[in-house]
Amino acid sequence: MGSGSALPDRVVTNAELAQTIDTSDEWIVERTGIRQRHIAGEDETTSTLAIAAARAAIADAGIEAESIGLIILATATPDNTFPATATKVQDALGCNGCVAFDVHAVCSGFLYALATADSLLRTGMAKRALVIGAETFSRILDWEDRTTCVLFGDGAGAVVLEAANGGNDGAGILASRLHADGAQHDLLYVDGGPSTTQTVGHLRMKGREVFRHAVVNLASVLNEVLEDAGVSAGDIDWVVPHQANQRILDATAKKLGIPAEKVIVTVDRHANTSAASVPLAFDTARRDGRIKPGDLVMFEAMGGGFTWGASLVRV
Ligand code: UT7
């Protein structure tokens, strides 16, 4: 397995946001744990961030880009309505001809992409997969809505997966579970799109209600995955959660009885980067030496749709 990530150059602090909207560093830190976020500049897009993260993951895995047979990119903020941003990444990497497509499950996108890649590798569709989460949520935020614009940031993360063929020392995806509930559409959505308004639209969220659902849904899907894999919460070395809110991370860990020291936290620096948040946090913790080969790592996320899911991975 290899991993990589990329963040826009520009860092925007809470204090900077407080200059243009009615908010404060104190409110944002207390309610969310967020201290800063990276925001894409004019020359940065979802694909440029995805390509940088992918190159870093390929270098980390020590492979040639041409050997990749499958690219799945999770995003809700593609460069264009079509074609898939995955095809732009493919062309930049020079692995033209392989399978390449986007998945759209908002903040759970990386979990959906990972489980899909795992399934396709198991069928023999490809031997090596590049799974990316990449977003530029800054482009769909209503910068006058203080209840949402302070929560999100831009970035990308990527992992390289390989079909096991028995020679992987037990490494790989041990179990995954995905869910969706379209009845919750109005709690978190974008108020525009090609087939409705012919505009990109802006993110709208009823935060308090999303929060309530997140803690319940995440605890339940984590238990499902633990049961599928036949392991207990105490066996997990690291939890790499979707980075939406420090309070959700704390509440979910508490519900499962997982100590806070085992939860990877990047929400303070990256804010909520939607589909990019899990692979960004994973890469951060691998590169700083916390997550090591052989560790048992739980990924989890919940987002618009609603969608939610979890995967247990032996690194
Ligand atoms: O990635 C997808 C999943 N998304 C999430 O998981 C987000 C889940 N939700 C949350 O993280 C939290 O609900 C929020 C951080 C969005 C909000 O925190 P909260 O503790 O639920 O606050 P609230 O929405 O109940 O708002 C409390 C107060 C309100 O004022 P009143 O009505 O009590 O007078 C808001 O108007 O805080 C006010 N407020 C703000 N004040 C300063 C809302 N946003 C801000 C702000 N700065 N940026």
PDB file of all heavy atoms in Angstrom, residues 21-24 27-28 31-32 107 146-148 150-152 188 205 207-211 214 242 244-245 247-248 272 274 302-304, ligand 1:
ATOM      1  N   ILE A  21     -17.073  37.721   8.106  1.00  0.00           N
ATOM      2  CA  ILE A  21     -18.386  37.257   8.558  1.00  0.00           C
ATOM      3  C   ILE A  21     -18.473  37.319  10.080  1.00  0.00           C
ATOM      4  O   ILE A  21     -17.449  37.369  10.759  1.00  0.00           O
ATOM      5  CB  ILE A  21     -18.694  35.798   8.090  1.00  0.00           C
ATOM      6  CG1 ILE A  21     -17.533  34.871   8.420  1.00  0.00           C
ATOM      7  CG2 ILE A  21     -19.093  35.739   6.627  1.00  0.00           C
ATOM      8  CD1 ILE A  21     -17.875  33.415   8.304  1.00  0.00           C
ATOM      9  N   ASP A  22     -19.713  37.257  10.594  1.00  0.00           N
ATOM     10  CA  ASP A  22     -19.955  37.396  12.027  1.00  0.00           C
ATOM     11  C   ASP A  22     -19.654  36.073  12.735  1.00  0.00           C
ATOM     12  O   ASP A  22     -20.558  35.277  13.010  1.00  0.00           O
ATOM     13  CB  ASP A  22     -21.421  37.819  12.225  1.00  0.00           C
ATOM     14  CG  ASP A  22     -21.748  37.999  13.697  1.00  0.00           C
ATOM     15  OD1 ASP A  22     -20.792  38.098  14.505  1.00  0.00           O
ATOM     16  OD2 ASP A  22     -22.949  38.020  14.038  1.00  0.00           O
ATOM     17  N   THR A  23     -18.370  35.838  12.982  1.00  0.00           N
ATOM     18  CA  THR A  23     -17.959  34.621  13.690  1.00  0.00           C
ATOM     19  C   THR A  23     -16.716  34.946  14.508  1.00  0.00           C
ATOM     20  O   THR A  23     -16.249  36.093  14.511  1.00  0.00           O
ATOM     21  CB  THR A  23     -17.686  33.462  12.705  1.00  0.00           C
ATOM     22  OG1 THR A  23     -17.533  32.255  13.434  1.00  0.00           O
ATOM     23  CG2 THR A  23     -16.453  33.699  11.833  1.00  0.00           C
ATOM     24  N   SER A  24     -16.184  33.940  15.214  1.00  0.00           N
ATOM     25  CA  SER A  24     -14.968  34.177  15.998  1.00  0.00           C
ATOM     26  C   SER A  24     -14.157  32.890  16.067  1.00  0.00           C
ATOM     27  O   SER A  24     -14.712  31.790  15.936  1.00  0.00           O
ATOM     28  CB  SER A  24     -15.340  34.606  17.425  1.00  0.00           C
ATOM     29  OG  SER A  24     -16.007  33.534  18.063  1.00  0.00           O
ATOM     30  N   TRP A  27     -15.593  30.645  18.817  1.00  0.00           N
ATOM     31  CA  TRP A  27     -16.786  29.853  18.504  1.00  0.00           C
ATOM     32  C   TRP A  27     -16.405  28.642  17.656  1.00  0.00           C
ATOM     33  O   TRP A  27     -16.819  27.509  17.933  1.00  0.00           O
ATOM     34  CB  TRP A  27     -17.842  30.701  17.761  1.00  0.00           C
ATOM     35  CG  TRP A  27     -19.160  29.978  17.621  1.00  0.00           C
ATOM     36  CD1 TRP A  27     -20.239  30.074  18.448  1.00  0.00           C
ATOM     37  CD2 TRP A  27     -19.526  29.010  16.613  1.00  0.00           C
ATOM     38  NE1 TRP A  27     -21.254  29.240  18.029  1.00  0.00           N
ATOM     39  CE2 TRP A  27     -20.848  28.573  16.903  1.00  0.00           C
ATOM     40  CE3 TRP A  27     -18.884  28.455  15.500  1.00  0.00           C
ATOM     41  CZ2 TRP A  27     -21.523  27.635  16.116  1.00  0.00           C
ATOM     42  CZ3 TRP A  27     -19.561  27.519  14.722  1.00  0.00           C
ATOM     43  CH2 TRP A  27     -20.862  27.116  15.034  1.00  0.00           C
ATOM     44  N   ILE A  28     -15.590  28.888  16.616  1.00  0.00           N
ATOM     45  CA  ILE A  28     -15.267  27.801  15.679  1.00  0.00           C
ATOM     46  C   ILE A  28     -14.473  26.699  16.391  1.00  0.00           C
ATOM     47  O   ILE A  28     -14.766  25.512  16.238  1.00  0.00           O
ATOM     48  CB  ILE A  28     -14.507  28.328  14.429  1.00  0.00           C
ATOM     49  CG1 ILE A  28     -15.350  29.380  13.695  1.00  0.00           C
ATOM     50  CG2 ILE A  28     -14.165  27.178  13.486  1.00  0.00           C
ATOM     51  CD1 ILE A  28     -14.606  30.118  12.590  1.00  0.00           C
ATOM     52  N   ARG A  31     -16.829  24.797  19.004  1.00  0.00           N
ATOM     53  CA  ARG A  31     -17.899  23.968  18.432  1.00  0.00           C
ATOM     54  C   ARG A  31     -17.412  22.890  17.470  1.00  0.00           C
ATOM     55  O   ARG A  31     -18.118  21.931  17.217  1.00  0.00           O
ATOM     56  CB  ARG A  31     -18.898  24.838  17.666  1.00  0.00           C
ATOM     57  CG  ARG A  31     -19.596  25.884  18.482  1.00  0.00           C
ATOM     58  CD  ARG A  31     -20.550  25.242  19.487  1.00  0.00           C
ATOM     59  NE  ARG A  31     -21.174  26.245  20.320  1.00  0.00           N
ATOM     60  CZ  ARG A  31     -22.489  26.394  20.438  1.00  0.00           C
ATOM     61  NH1 ARG A  31     -23.309  25.608  19.803  1.00  0.00           N
ATOM     62  NH2 ARG A  31     -22.970  27.331  21.226  1.00  0.00           N
ATOM     63  N   THR A  32     -16.195  23.090  16.888  1.00  0.00           N
ATOM     64  CA  THR A  32     -15.766  22.171  15.826  1.00  0.00           C
ATOM     65  C   THR A  32     -14.344  21.634  15.981  1.00  0.00           C
ATOM     66  O   THR A  32     -14.017  20.608  15.392  1.00  0.00           O
ATOM     67  CB  THR A  32     -15.811  22.867  14.435  1.00  0.00           C
ATOM     68  OG1 THR A  32     -14.750  23.830  14.374  1.00  0.00           O
ATOM     69  CG2 THR A  32     -17.138  23.557  14.189  1.00  0.00           C
ATOM     70  N   CYS A 107     -19.113  13.198   1.561  1.00  0.00           N
ATOM     71  CA  CYS A 107     -18.065  12.964   2.568  1.00  0.00           C
ATOM     72  C   CYS A 107     -17.732  11.490   2.754  1.00  0.00           C
ATOM     73  O   CYS A 107     -16.659  11.146   3.243  1.00  0.00           O
ATOM     74  CB  CYS A 107     -18.468  13.581   3.900  1.00  0.00           C
ATOM     75  SG  CYS A 107     -18.668  15.362   3.801  1.00  0.00           S
ATOM     76  N   ARG A 146     -22.447  31.884   7.694  1.00  0.00           N
ATOM     77  CA  ARG A 146     -21.456  31.516   8.728  1.00  0.00           C
ATOM     78  C   ARG A 146     -21.693  30.117   9.289  1.00  0.00           C
ATOM     79  O   ARG A 146     -20.803  29.532   9.902  1.00  0.00           O
ATOM     80  CB  ARG A 146     -21.482  32.539   9.866  1.00  0.00           C
ATOM     81  CG  ARG A 146     -22.751  32.496  10.706  1.00  0.00           C
ATOM     82  CD  ARG A 146     -22.662  33.425  11.895  1.00  0.00           C
ATOM     83  NE  ARG A 146     -23.870  33.288  12.717  1.00  0.00           N
ATOM     84  CZ  ARG A 146     -24.010  33.828  13.911  1.00  0.00           C
ATOM     85  NH1 ARG A 146     -23.046  34.551  14.409  1.00  0.00           N
ATOM     86  NH2 ARG A 146     -25.136  33.653  14.591  1.00  0.00           N
ATOM     87  N   THR A 147     -22.908  29.589   9.115  1.00  0.00           N
ATOM     88  CA  THR A 147     -23.185  28.263   9.686  1.00  0.00           C
ATOM     89  C   THR A 147     -22.539  27.136   8.867  1.00  0.00           C
ATOM     90  O   THR A 147     -22.470  25.998   9.329  1.00  0.00           O
ATOM     91  CB  THR A 147     -24.704  27.980   9.811  1.00  0.00           C
ATOM     92  OG1 THR A 147     -25.253  27.825   8.508  1.00  0.00           O
ATOM     93  CG2 THR A 147     -25.428  29.095  10.535  1.00  0.00           C
ATOM     94  N   THR A 148     -22.095  27.424   7.652  1.00  0.00           N
ATOM     95  CA  THR A 148     -21.443  26.376   6.838  1.00  0.00           C
ATOM     96  C   THR A 148     -20.026  26.751   6.378  1.00  0.00           C
ATOM     97  O   THR A 148     -19.149  25.894   6.364  1.00  0.00           O
ATOM     98  CB  THR A 148     -22.276  26.053   5.577  1.00  0.00           C
ATOM     99  OG1 THR A 148     -22.538  27.272   4.876  1.00  0.00           O
ATOM    100  CG2 THR A 148     -23.585  25.360   5.928  1.00  0.00           C
ATOM    101  N   VAL A 150     -17.484  28.205   7.541  1.00  0.00           N
ATOM    102  CA  VAL A 150     -16.314  28.064   8.416  1.00  0.00           C
ATOM    103  C   VAL A 150     -15.880  26.604   8.577  1.00  0.00           C
ATOM    104  O   VAL A 150     -14.830  26.322   9.147  1.00  0.00           O
ATOM    105  CB  VAL A 150     -16.604  28.658   9.822  1.00  0.00           C
ATOM    106  CG1 VAL A 150     -17.025  30.113   9.717  1.00  0.00           C
ATOM    107  CG2 VAL A 150     -17.668  27.850  10.560  1.00  0.00           C
ATOM    108  N   LEU A 151     -16.705  25.675   8.074  1.00  0.00           N
ATOM    109  CA  LEU A 151     -16.500  24.256   8.400  1.00  0.00           C
ATOM    110  C   LEU A 151     -15.642  23.480   7.411  1.00  0.00           C
ATOM    111  O   LEU A 151     -15.153  22.401   7.734  1.00  0.00           O
ATOM    112  CB  LEU A 151     -17.868  23.550   8.491  1.00  0.00           C
ATOM    113  CG  LEU A 151     -18.878  24.138   9.475  1.00  0.00           C
ATOM    114  CD1 LEU A 151     -20.218  23.429   9.326  1.00  0.00           C
ATOM    115  CD2 LEU A 151     -18.365  24.019  10.898  1.00  0.00           C
ATOM    116  N   PHE A 152     -15.487  24.004   6.180  1.00  0.00           N
ATOM    117  CA  PHE A 152     -14.905  23.183   5.115  1.00  0.00           C
ATOM    118  C   PHE A 152     -13.563  23.718   4.605  1.00  0.00           C
ATOM    119  O   PHE A 152     -13.251  24.900   4.766  1.00  0.00           O
ATOM    120  CB  PHE A 152     -15.901  23.071   3.947  1.00  0.00           C
ATOM    121  CG  PHE A 152     -17.162  22.338   4.326  1.00  0.00           C
ATOM    122  CD1 PHE A 152     -18.257  23.025   4.859  1.00  0.00           C
ATOM    123  CD2 PHE A 152     -17.250  20.960   4.199  1.00  0.00           C
ATOM    124  CE1 PHE A 152     -19.420  22.356   5.233  1.00  0.00           C
ATOM    125  CE2 PHE A 152     -18.402  20.277   4.575  1.00  0.00           C
ATOM    126  CZ  PHE A 152     -19.491  20.975   5.087  1.00  0.00           C
ATOM    127  N   LEU A 188     -28.603  17.961   4.242  1.00  0.00           N
ATOM    128  CA  LEU A 188     -27.268  18.287   3.722  1.00  0.00           C
ATOM    129  C   LEU A 188     -27.271  18.093   2.210  1.00  0.00           C
ATOM    130  O   LEU A 188     -27.335  16.962   1.731  1.00  0.00           O
ATOM    131  CB  LEU A 188     -26.233  17.368   4.410  1.00  0.00           C
ATOM    132  CG  LEU A 188     -24.762  17.486   4.008  1.00  0.00           C
ATOM    133  CD1 LEU A 188     -24.261  18.912   4.037  1.00  0.00           C
ATOM    134  CD2 LEU A 188     -23.896  16.618   4.916  1.00  0.00           C
ATOM    135  N   MET A 205     -26.809  23.105   4.897  1.00  0.00           N
ATOM    136  CA  MET A 205     -26.769  22.035   5.924  1.00  0.00           C
ATOM    137  C   MET A 205     -27.507  22.446   7.189  1.00  0.00           C
ATOM    138  O   MET A 205     -27.363  23.578   7.653  1.00  0.00           O
ATOM    139  CB  MET A 205     -25.315  21.697   6.265  1.00  0.00           C
ATOM    140  CG  MET A 205     -25.184  20.660   7.374  1.00  0.00           C
ATOM    141  SD  MET A 205     -23.548  19.944   7.536  1.00  0.00           S
ATOM    142  CE  MET A 205     -22.660  21.323   8.215  1.00  0.00           C
ATOM    143  N   GLY A 207     -26.876  21.667  10.451  1.00  0.00           N
ATOM    144  CA  GLY A 207     -25.744  21.065  11.157  1.00  0.00           C
ATOM    145  C   GLY A 207     -26.093  20.251  12.378  1.00  0.00           C
ATOM    146  O   GLY A 207     -25.576  19.153  12.567  1.00  0.00           O
ATOM    147  N   ARG A 208     -26.991  20.810  13.202  1.00  0.00           N
ATOM    148  CA  ARG A 208     -27.283  20.119  14.460  1.00  0.00           C
ATOM    149  C   ARG A 208     -27.906  18.747  14.201  1.00  0.00           C
ATOM    150  O   ARG A 208     -27.602  17.766  14.870  1.00  0.00           O
ATOM    151  CB  ARG A 208     -28.216  20.973  15.303  1.00  0.00           C
ATOM    152  CG  ARG A 208     -28.259  20.550  16.739  1.00  0.00           C
ATOM    153  CD  ARG A 208     -29.191  21.394  17.553  1.00  0.00           C
ATOM    154  NE  ARG A 208     -28.703  22.756  17.727  1.00  0.00           N
ATOM    155  CZ  ARG A 208     -29.328  23.662  18.463  1.00  0.00           C
ATOM    156  NH1 ARG A 208     -30.447  23.360  19.078  1.00  0.00           N
ATOM    157  NH2 ARG A 208     -28.826  24.875  18.599  1.00  0.00           N
ATOM    158  N   GLU A 209     -28.800  18.687  13.194  1.00  0.00           N
ATOM    159  CA  GLU A 209     -29.449  17.395  12.896  1.00  0.00           C
ATOM    160  C   GLU A 209     -28.474  16.404  12.245  1.00  0.00           C
ATOM    161  O   GLU A 209     -28.514  15.205  12.517  1.00  0.00           O
ATOM    162  CB  GLU A 209     -30.669  17.629  12.002  1.00  0.00           C
ATOM    163  CG  GLU A 209     -31.821  18.189  12.805  1.00  0.00           C
ATOM    164  CD  GLU A 209     -32.799  18.972  11.964  1.00  0.00           C
ATOM    165  OE1 GLU A 209     -33.607  18.327  11.294  1.00  0.00           O
ATOM    166  OE2 GLU A 209     -32.741  20.207  11.980  1.00  0.00           O
ATOM    167  N   VAL A 210     -27.586  16.943  11.382  1.00  0.00           N
ATOM    168  CA  VAL A 210     -26.570  16.064  10.772  1.00  0.00           C
ATOM    169  C   VAL A 210     -25.701  15.459  11.875  1.00  0.00           C
ATOM    170  O   VAL A 210     -25.411  14.265  11.871  1.00  0.00           O
ATOM    171  CB  VAL A 210     -25.688  16.832   9.754  1.00  0.00           C
ATOM    172  CG1 VAL A 210     -24.582  15.929   9.209  1.00  0.00           C
ATOM    173  CG2 VAL A 210     -26.535  17.381   8.616  1.00  0.00           C
ATOM    174  N   PHE A 211     -25.322  16.295  12.806  1.00  0.00           N
ATOM    175  CA  PHE A 211     -24.486  15.860  13.939  1.00  0.00           C
ATOM    176  C   PHE A 211     -25.124  14.667  14.659  1.00  0.00           C
ATOM    177  O   PHE A 211     -24.481  13.648  14.910  1.00  0.00           O
ATOM    178  CB  PHE A 211     -24.349  17.041  14.911  1.00  0.00           C
ATOM    179  CG  PHE A 211     -23.317  16.863  15.985  1.00  0.00           C
ATOM    180  CD1 PHE A 211     -22.183  17.648  16.035  1.00  0.00           C
ATOM    181  CD2 PHE A 211     -23.473  15.905  16.988  1.00  0.00           C
ATOM    182  CE1 PHE A 211     -21.230  17.488  17.034  1.00  0.00           C
ATOM    183  CE2 PHE A 211     -22.530  15.727  17.988  1.00  0.00           C
ATOM    184  CZ  PHE A 211     -21.404  16.529  18.007  1.00  0.00           C
ATOM    185  N   ALA A 214     -25.015  11.582  12.588  1.00  0.00           N
ATOM    186  CA  ALA A 214     -23.637  11.118  12.361  1.00  0.00           C
ATOM    187  C   ALA A 214     -23.186  10.195  13.483  1.00  0.00           C
ATOM    188  O   ALA A 214     -22.666   9.100  13.227  1.00  0.00           O
ATOM    189  CB  ALA A 214     -22.690  12.322  12.234  1.00  0.00           C
ATOM    190  N   HIS A 242     -13.668  10.376   9.211  1.00  0.00           N
ATOM    191  CA  HIS A 242     -13.958  11.587   8.453  1.00  0.00           C
ATOM    192  C   HIS A 242     -13.847  12.772   9.404  1.00  0.00           C
ATOM    193  O   HIS A 242     -14.375  12.740  10.515  1.00  0.00           O
ATOM    194  CB  HIS A 242     -15.366  11.489   7.860  1.00  0.00           C
ATOM    195  CG  HIS A 242     -15.823  12.759   7.243  1.00  0.00           C
ATOM    196  ND1 HIS A 242     -15.037  13.478   6.367  1.00  0.00           N
ATOM    197  CD2 HIS A 242     -16.979  13.463   7.382  1.00  0.00           C
ATOM    198  CE1 HIS A 242     -15.694  14.552   5.985  1.00  0.00           C
ATOM    199  NE2 HIS A 242     -16.863  14.576   6.587  1.00  0.00           N
ATOM    200  N   ALA A 244     -15.042  15.887  10.308  1.00  0.00           N
ATOM    201  CA  ALA A 244     -16.077  16.920  10.191  1.00  0.00           C
ATOM    202  C   ALA A 244     -16.097  17.823  11.415  1.00  0.00           C
ATOM    203  O   ALA A 244     -16.259  19.031  11.292  1.00  0.00           O
ATOM    204  CB  ALA A 244     -17.446  16.282  10.000  1.00  0.00           C
ATOM    205  N   ASN A 245     -15.920  17.219  12.583  1.00  0.00           N
ATOM    206  CA  ASN A 245     -16.081  17.976  13.811  1.00  0.00           C
ATOM    207  C   ASN A 245     -15.435  17.182  14.945  1.00  0.00           C
ATOM    208  O   ASN A 245     -15.717  15.994  15.107  1.00  0.00           O
ATOM    209  CB  ASN A 245     -17.595  18.155  14.071  1.00  0.00           C
ATOM    210  CG  ASN A 245     -17.864  19.039  15.263  1.00  0.00           C
ATOM    211  OD1 ASN A 245     -17.197  18.955  16.279  1.00  0.00           O
ATOM    212  ND2 ASN A 245     -18.857  19.892  15.128  1.00  0.00           N
ATOM    213  N   ARG A 247     -16.047  17.172  17.949  1.00  0.00           N
ATOM    214  CA  ARG A 247     -17.034  16.631  18.895  1.00  0.00           C
ATOM    215  C   ARG A 247     -17.641  15.329  18.383  1.00  0.00           C
ATOM    216  O   ARG A 247     -17.979  14.445  19.173  1.00  0.00           O
ATOM    217  CB  ARG A 247     -18.122  17.677  19.167  1.00  0.00           C
ATOM    218  CG  ARG A 247     -17.612  18.828  20.050  1.00  0.00           C
ATOM    219  CD  ARG A 247     -18.417  20.108  19.835  1.00  0.00           C
ATOM    220  NE  ARG A 247     -19.837  19.915  20.003  1.00  0.00           N
ATOM    221  CZ  ARG A 247     -20.787  20.574  19.311  1.00  0.00           C
ATOM    222  NH1 ARG A 247     -20.446  21.454  18.388  1.00  0.00           N
ATOM    223  NH2 ARG A 247     -22.051  20.343  19.522  1.00  0.00           N
ATOM    224  N   ILE A 248     -17.779  15.206  17.044  1.00  0.00           N
ATOM    225  CA  ILE A 248     -18.286  13.932  16.485  1.00  0.00           C
ATOM    226  C   ILE A 248     -17.226  12.845  16.684  1.00  0.00           C
ATOM    227  O   ILE A 248     -17.541  11.713  17.044  1.00  0.00           O
ATOM    228  CB  ILE A 248     -18.638  14.073  14.983  1.00  0.00           C
ATOM    229  CG1 ILE A 248     -19.764  15.091  14.792  1.00  0.00           C
ATOM    230  CG2 ILE A 248     -19.035  12.711  14.385  1.00  0.00           C
ATOM    231  CD1 ILE A 248     -20.185  15.306  13.348  1.00  0.00           C
ATOM    232  N   ASN A 272     -13.119  20.307   7.295  1.00  0.00           N
ATOM    233  CA  ASN A 272     -13.811  19.187   6.636  1.00  0.00           C
ATOM    234  C   ASN A 272     -13.514  19.254   5.136  1.00  0.00           C
ATOM    235  O   ASN A 272     -13.985  20.168   4.457  1.00  0.00           O
ATOM    236  CB  ASN A 272     -15.315  19.305   6.919  1.00  0.00           C
ATOM    237  CG  ASN A 272     -16.127  18.180   6.300  1.00  0.00           C
ATOM    238  OD1 ASN A 272     -15.635  17.439   5.449  1.00  0.00           O
ATOM    239  ND2 ASN A 272     -17.361  18.062   6.716  1.00  0.00           N
ATOM    240  N   SER A 274     -14.367  16.853   3.034  1.00  0.00           N
ATOM    241  CA  SER A 274     -15.300  15.912   2.412  1.00  0.00           C
ATOM    242  C   SER A 274     -14.586  14.602   2.024  1.00  0.00           C
ATOM    243  O   SER A 274     -13.928  14.017   2.870  1.00  0.00           O
ATOM    244  CB  SER A 274     -15.990  16.587   1.219  1.00  0.00           C
ATOM    245  OG  SER A 274     -16.971  15.762   0.655  1.00  0.00           O
ATOM    246  N   MET A 302     -19.287   9.790   7.130  1.00  0.00           N
ATOM    247  CA  MET A 302     -20.735   9.986   6.951  1.00  0.00           C
ATOM    248  C   MET A 302     -20.927  11.340   6.290  1.00  0.00           C
ATOM    249  O   MET A 302     -20.192  12.282   6.587  1.00  0.00           O
ATOM    250  CB  MET A 302     -21.388   9.916   8.333  1.00  0.00           C
ATOM    251  CG  MET A 302     -22.428  10.935   8.615  1.00  0.00           C
ATOM    252  SD  MET A 302     -24.063  10.174   8.588  1.00  0.00           S
ATOM    253  CE  MET A 302     -25.072  11.628   8.588  1.00  0.00           C
ATOM    254  N   GLY A 303     -21.850  11.432   5.357  1.00  0.00           N
ATOM    255  CA  GLY A 303     -22.048  12.711   4.677  1.00  0.00           C
ATOM    256  C   GLY A 303     -23.371  12.804   3.950  1.00  0.00           C
ATOM    257  O   GLY A 303     -24.291  12.005   4.188  1.00  0.00           O
ATOM    258  N   GLY A 304     -23.451  13.778   3.060  1.00  0.00           N
ATOM    259  CA  GLY A 304     -24.680  14.102   2.337  1.00  0.00           C
ATOM    260  C   GLY A 304     -25.258  12.886   1.629  1.00  0.00           C
ATOM    261  O   GLY A 304     -24.545  12.016   1.144  1.00  0.00           O
TER     262      GLY A 304
HETATM  263  O1  UT7 B   1     -19.268  16.237   6.493  1.00  0.00           O
HETATM  264  C1  UT7 B   1     -20.631  15.998   6.552  1.00  0.00           C
HETATM  265  C2  UT7 B   1     -21.052  15.859   7.926  1.00  0.00           C
HETATM  266  N1  UT7 B   1     -21.197  17.165   8.529  1.00  0.00           N
HETATM  267  C3  UT7 B   1     -21.175  17.243   9.804  1.00  0.00           C
HETATM  268  O2  UT7 B   1     -20.940  16.252  10.429  1.00  0.00           O
HETATM  269  C4  UT7 B   1     -21.523  18.547  10.491  1.00  0.00           C
HETATM  270  C5  UT7 B   1     -22.296  18.220  11.712  1.00  0.00           C
HETATM  271  N2  UT7 B   1     -22.662  19.369  12.515  1.00  0.00           N
HETATM  272  C6  UT7 B   1     -21.789  20.106  13.223  1.00  0.00           C
HETATM  273  O3  UT7 B   1     -20.600  19.916  13.140  1.00  0.00           O
HETATM  274  C7  UT7 B   1     -22.346  21.152  14.152  1.00  0.00           C
HETATM  275  O4  UT7 B   1     -23.752  20.991  14.265  1.00  0.00           O
HETATM  276  C8  UT7 B   1     -22.045  22.595  13.713  1.00  0.00           C
HETATM  277  C9  UT7 B   1     -20.556  22.892  13.946  1.00  0.00           C
HETATM  278  C10 UT7 B   1     -22.411  22.795  12.260  1.00  0.00           C
HETATM  279  C11 UT7 B   1     -22.837  23.598  14.567  1.00  0.00           C
HETATM  280  O5  UT7 B   1     -22.595  23.388  15.939  1.00  0.00           O
HETATM  281  P1  UT7 B   1     -23.828  23.361  16.970  1.00  0.00           P
HETATM  282  O6  UT7 B   1     -23.246  23.226  18.309  1.00  0.00           O
HETATM  283  O7  UT7 B   1     -24.770  22.317  16.492  1.00  0.00           O
HETATM  284  O8  UT7 B   1     -24.424  24.825  16.821  1.00  0.00           O
HETATM  285  P2  UT7 B   1     -25.845  25.286  16.308  1.00  0.00           P
HETATM  286  O9  UT7 B   1     -26.004  25.019  14.852  1.00  0.00           O
HETATM  287  O10 UT7 B   1     -26.862  24.739  17.239  1.00  0.00           O
HETATM  288  O11 UT7 B   1     -25.738  26.846  16.520  1.00  0.00           O
HETATM  289  C12 UT7 B   1     -25.571  27.440  17.819  1.00  0.00           C
HETATM  290  C13 UT7 B   1     -25.511  28.939  17.673  1.00  0.00           C
HETATM  291  C14 UT7 B   1     -26.645  29.515  16.817  1.00  0.00           C
HETATM  292  O12 UT7 B   1     -27.063  30.721  17.402  1.00  0.00           O
HETATM  293  P3  UT7 B   1     -28.427  30.794  18.272  1.00  0.00           P
HETATM  294  O13 UT7 B   1     -29.492  30.338  17.320  1.00  0.00           O
HETATM  295  O14 UT7 B   1     -28.201  29.821  19.388  1.00  0.00           O
HETATM  296  O15 UT7 B   1     -28.474  32.200  18.658  1.00  0.00           O
HETATM  297  C15 UT7 B   1     -25.962  29.822  15.500  1.00  0.00           C
HETATM  298  O16 UT7 B   1     -26.568  30.880  14.797  1.00  0.00           O
HETATM  299  O17 UT7 B   1     -24.296  29.339  17.029  1.00  0.00           O
HETATM  300  C16 UT7 B   1     -24.590  30.217  15.941  1.00  0.00           C
HETATM  301  N3  UT7 B   1     -23.575  30.030  14.896  1.00  0.00           N
HETATM  302  C17 UT7 B   1     -22.419  30.696  14.875  1.00  0.00           C
HETATM  303  N4  UT7 B   1     -21.886  31.600  15.683  1.00  0.00           N
HETATM  304  C18 UT7 B   1     -20.666  32.079  15.373  1.00  0.00           C
HETATM  305  C19 UT7 B   1     -23.632  29.176  13.836  1.00  0.00           C
HETATM  306  N5  UT7 B   1     -22.507  29.287  13.110  1.00  0.00           N
HETATM  307  C20 UT7 B   1     -21.740  30.210  13.729  1.00  0.00           C
HETATM  308  C21 UT7 B   1     -20.458  30.746  13.460  1.00  0.00           C
HETATM  309  N6  UT7 B   1     -19.966  31.654  14.293  1.00  0.00           N
HETATM  310  N7  UT7 B   1     -19.719  30.341  12.398  1.00  0.00           N
END
